[in-house]
Amino acid sequence: IEKQMKTTVVLYPSLGAGHLNPMVELAKVFLRRGVSVIVAVVDSPDAMGRLAIANPDIAFQHLPVPPTGKDDKYSHPIMRTIDVLRAANPALRSFLLELPAPVDALVVDMFCTDAIDVAAELDIPAYFFFTSALADLAIMLHLPYNFPRTASLKDMPEAVLHFPGVPPIRAMDMATTMQDRESDIARARLHQCPRMPEARGFLVNSFDWLEARALEALRRGLCTPGRSTPPVYCIGPLVQPGNTNTGRSWERHACLEWLDTQPNRSVVFLSFGSMGTFSAAQLRETARGLENSGHRFLWVVRYPPEHQQSKSMEPEDLEALVPDGFLERTRERGLVVRNWAPQMEVLRHDAVGAFVTHCGWNSALEAIVSGVPMICWPLYSEQRMNKVHLVEEMRLGVVVEGYEKELVKADQVEAKVRLVMESDEGKKLRERIVMAKEMAADALKEGGSSDVAFGEFLKGLKKKSSAELKT
Ligand code: UDP
């Protein structure tokens, strides 16, 4: 009986490790609260296997999905995601029906909108786990009300859009998926947005202090005029712990050894998410900016997209991509890492003083919990919106001018590095992000806002479960 009474939730991430990892962090929060979790995974069998070994307390279930048969024909990777997830609905349904006892909630990722149909059919409360900024949720919920109906955003880049609780946003800074209103992807997303309030609530990887205005707007129902906004629970920041769960924690990346030899807060770290790449011209320009700044740097570099290389970058190719003699001249104060660096551990290192980031939300949260000011260089998807939140609302970073143009110039890279590393404004940014770091830690403490929000969410679940038991 004890076992049957235990609250159980199914977590349902979207495709890819980038969605699976945050769900596993969420699973750990449930476990700490004594809730059983099953993570149902549609693809990424390798990542799932690794995570299952590292997290023996979490149950993982692989859901088989029939091939959609049109893998090459998608106009956008998210179109494939939406299609595959829709095709996964029957497998999700059978899996939920075959469980020994009904689960208390289905928590779905922001792209799994179709799964809420399965939850509705089986009478399981469905919640979204939103892994971008709360302000992005406010924008998505409000988008059906103010999305321009006559022209595409890309044709009016300077037009200013207004969303409750969010600074005014230029059309060009809206998500790349929404830029062309005639595109499949914009249509699909516009279809998803008004369905989101069908969920029972939103768990969000953010914290109240960080996004107070967006939270207020959502709570007051300003983002969904005429219909109620489901409750919002900011339960973050949940970030990956760093090396501890890779199973190889004794192997320390060489760049961390290098950071050990650098003075405190002296190094500028440049890293652009799991997919960020730059043209060869931009790599040269960035190299010149870093060199001219005179500051120390740790820079993660990948093949430019025009190289169409899918393999890891080789040292000799790197030589060819940066200005002649650059690596030699900066040998004493710079380290270029090919392809990938252990970002969380780098950001936590005392030697790091600034972070040049593409503004992916996980990267932003990692900068916040490490107290490292950001130089924002948004590239794709919702990153330009995050840049607006980080710079204008939260005041935790500055922007590199020209990010929307073909090339960010070397002197701009130099100027922003100097601003953060040398100026009073940089000092203020650092003080503010150190405050945000403290506020994040407070939010997660027992009795902190994120802890309380999670408790409220669980209370809601349990209330429903016990009401059902009585009937
Ligand atoms: N990351 C990393 N090393 C790298 C690049 C990325 O560890 O060289 C990690 C980073 O710490 C973050 C994630 O990959 O947790 C990227 O997530 P984010 O939301 O910032 O960007 P996305 O990859 O989704 O664009």
Side-chain angles (χ1 to χ4, degrees):
I1 289 178
E2 173 79 3
K3 198 153 191 219
Q4 277 180 350
M5 299 278 290
K6 192 165 177 185
T7 307
T8 304
V9 297
V10 170
L11 308 187
Y12 190 47
S14 175
L15 310 187
H19 291 266
L20 184 51
N21 288 330
M23 268 300 186
V24 170
E25 292 311 311
L26 178 64
K28 293 179 193 168
V29 182
F30 276 110
L31 285 182
R32 284 201 289 276
R33 297 281 192 144
V35 175
S36 303
V37 265
I38 310 171
V39 183
V41 182
V42 166
D43 71 354
S44 325
D46 295 346
M48 185 181 102
R50 270 197 304 279
L51 287 164
I53 291 168
N55 301 281
D57 294 340
I58 302 172
F60 286 86
Q61 171 72 40
H62 186 254
L63 298 182
V65 184
T68 59
K70 36 181 185 174
D71 260 3
D72 311 330
K73 300 192 193 93
Y74 290 111
S75 53
H76 192 284
I78 296 176
M79 290 309 295
R80 173 175 176 269
T81 297
I82 292 172
D83 230 25
V84 171
L85 289 170
R86 188 172 297 138
N89 263 2
L92 177 67
R93 184 178 178 280
S94 329
F95 159 67
L96 291 168
L97 277 174
E98 282 159 20
L99 287 170
V103 291
D104 299 283
L106 176 68
V107 179
V108 307
D109 177 288
M110 56 211 253
F111 290 122
C112 301
T113 317
D114 286 311
I116 60 182
D117 292 333
V118 177
E121 186 197 333
L122 304 182
D123 200 23
I124 300 171
Y127 292 82
F128 276 104
F129 178 41
F130 197 79
T131 52
S132 195
L134 183 66
D136 292 339
L137 176 62
I139 290 173
M140 279 185 72
L141 289 176
H142 199 256
L143 207 54
Y145 298 87
N146 67 345
F147 194 66
R149 288 179 208 285
T150 47
S152 279
L153 299 178
K154 67 179 172 55
D155 299 325
M156 45 178 187
E158 296 291 344
V160 176
L161 278 69
H162 295 271
F163 299 91
V166 178
I169 294 199
R170 289 179 306 169
M172 68 164 84
D173 284 335
M174 292 292 291
T176 39
T177 49
M178 303 309 296
Q179 289 293 327
D180 178 1
R181 65 190 300 282
E182 302 303 332
S183 64
D184 293 351
I185 182 66
R187 284 171 200 264
R189 308 252 33 214
L190 265 186
H191 177 74
Q192 285 184 330
C193 290
R195 292 211 58 194
M196 292 183 76
E198 290 175 31
R200 280 290 176 90
F202 299 99
L203 294 166
V204 185
N205 196 5
S206 190
F207 55 107
D208 291 4
W209 178 86
L210 187 67
E211 303 200 74
R213 255 184 0 112
L215 184 62
E216 170 78 8
L218 284 155
R219 293 228 162 114
R220 287 172 56 200
L222 303 181
C223 300
T224 59
R227 66 195 286 204
S228 61
T229 309
V232 169
Y233 307 95
C234 289
I235 57 158
L238 306 180
V239 299
Q240 288 191 67
N243 212 0
T244 52
N245 69 349
T246 62
R248 296 181 312 197
S249 47
W250 62 90
E251 274 177 36
R252 215 159 160 253
H253 194 286
C255 74
L256 298 170
E257 307 280 330
W258 180 79
L259 284 174
D260 289 346
T261 66
Q262 305 301 317
N264 268 2
R265 288 195 210 145
S266 68
V267 175
V268 180
F269 175 51
L270 302 90
S271 168
F272 300 88
S274 50
M275 295 183 295
T277 54
F278 291 100
S279 66
Q282 183 64 73
L283 289 176
R284 280 194 298 277
E285 207 68 28
T286 306
R288 262 195 292 279
L290 288 174
E291 186 171 358
N292 295 344
S293 79
H295 284 280
R296 296 165 199 271
F297 61 86
L298 172 59
W299 182 17
V300 184
V301 173
R302 302 200 177 108
Y303 278 122
E306 65 264 27
H307 276 229
Q308 296 182 326
Q309 299 268 16
S310 55
K311 61 182 173 79
S312 290
M313 187 192 277
E314 303 301 331
E316 58 275 17
D317 291 333
L318 178 62
E319 291 268 359
L321 282 166
V322 291
D324 267 354
F326 168 79
L327 294 173
E328 184 52 33
R329 288 193 301 276
T330 57
R331 200 160 47 104
E332 296 295 319
R333 61 177 171 91
L335 183 65
V336 179
V337 175
R338 286 171 287 118
N339 310 308
W340 190 262
Q343 178 169 307
M344 191 62 242
E345 287 154 290
V346 169
L347 286 170
R348 283 221 167 101
H349 200 289
D350 290 339
V352 173
F355 177 29
V356 185
T357 172
H358 73 316
C359 305
W361 190 240
N362 292 303
S363 293
L365 290 178
E366 288 162 9
I368 290 169
V369 300
S370 315
V372 178
M374 284 171 262
I375 298 173
C376 297
W377 188 330
L379 301 177
Y380 49 87
S381 56
E382 78 296 345
Q383 293 152 13
R384 289 182 179 186
M385 304 199 298
N386 291 347
K387 179 269 304 182
V388 174
H389 313 323
L390 291 167
V391 174
E392 292 174 34
E393 183 75 16
M394 303 170 195
R395 292 175 285 123
L396 302 175
V398 291
V399 63
V400 291
E401 276 153 37
Y403 67 86
E404 75 281 29
K405 307 214 172 84
E406 210 168 308
L407 213 54
V408 170
K409 292 287 170 38
D411 57 3
Q412 178 59 202
V413 175
E414 176 187 348
K416 292 300 150 75
V417 165
R418 285 186 186 276
L419 185 157
V420 173
M421 299 296 281
E422 298 169 12
S423 74
D424 276 351
E425 198 183 334
K427 191 158 164 261
K428 287 205 188 89
L429 273 181
R430 176 160 302 109
E431 284 165 4
R432 190 160 157 82
I433 200 157
V434 167
M435 175 161 78
K437 171 185 170 171
E438 284 159 12
M439 294 312 243
D442 281 351
L444 293 170
K445 272 192 202 138
E446 200 177 329
S449 64
S450 295
D451 180 65
V452 169
F454 202 82
E456 291 290 319
F457 160 71
L458 284 183
K459 232 192 286 169
L461 279 191
K462 288 186 180 141
K463 234 185 254 156
K464 179 164 189 302
S465 313
S466 55
E468 271 167 5
L469 277 181
K470 277 184 205 126
T471 54

